[in-house]
Amino acid sequence: QQPVQSPQAVILREGEDAVINCSSSKALYSVHWYRQKHGEAPVFLMILLKGGEQKGHDKISASFNEKKQQSSLYLTASQLSYSGTYFCGTEIRSTLGRLYFGRGTQLTVWP
Amino acid sequence: DVKVTQSSRYLVKRTGEKVFLECVQDMDHENMFWYRQDPGLGLRLIYFSYDVKMKEKGDIPEGYSVSREKKERFSLILESASTNQTSMYLCASRDTGGGTEAFFGQGTRLTVV
């Protein structure tokens, strides 16, 4: 039931952009994005609920294509503080309440 | 400030021991989760509980059981710990209603020797 995330890892310079993708084979109700820094708990970034919905959080935004069961996280003009592992979490329509997370994307931003 | 608290940050147990991992949330959430986090495998759902005494298996329930006698507390039990259960265990909770965020505990790093 795990969604598929890509890429596995991204290395950026400060100021560069990145896109992280998440897809599921199941019909989705919502997509969640979290960031986890080393040794810490995952921290919530945003939830997307509706088809085609886009949300923003500072210079981090995301889209959700309900028809394709895909979501993308966009990191614009990356900062050092963006480094960490990003997880997408999916809530499947047939099993509302449960959250399944992907394998994560490790993002490293260098000065 | 919302809180999910796991009883131990680090735990070392011997093979064959019965192990209890405790998680308490103070947000009156109906839903609670136990995940296992391993490098390269992400967060894998072990068990999910949507109410007191109600539980459902996740993707990797083998070798684990859970207990939820009170709304705020969700326990993960390793009946007979094995070395392949050495991992980081994360507890989470969230409110009922689709589209609510999950709150995570700090995690328990369990080593089985």
Side-chain angles (χ1 to χ4, degrees), chain B residues 18-77:
Chain B
K18 189 167 187 175
V19 181
F20 293 85
L21 302 184
E22 307 286 346
C23 175
V24 177
Q25 51 99 359
D26 65 359
M27 296 164 282
D28 203 35
H29 286 164
E30 285 80 11
N31 300 320
M32 295 188 75
F33 308 79
W34 275 106
Y35 293 95
R36 173 176 170 159
Q37 183 173 20
D38 298 290
L41 297 179
L43 300 169
R44 292 181 291 168
L45 181 62
I46 305 172
Y47 265 99
F48 162 60
S49 170
Y50 55 93
D51 202 348
V52 174
K53 297 190 189 290
M54 307 305 286
K55 61 188 179 188
E56 289 182 358
K57 293 179 180 179
D59 287 343
I60 53 163
E62 297 79 19
Y64 304 95
S65 62
V66 290
S67 171
R68 190 151 179 216
E69 296 297 318
K70 291 186 177 181
K71 191 175 186 181
E72 66 271 19
R73 187 180 297 269
F74 192 33
S75 303
L76 181 69
I77 304 156

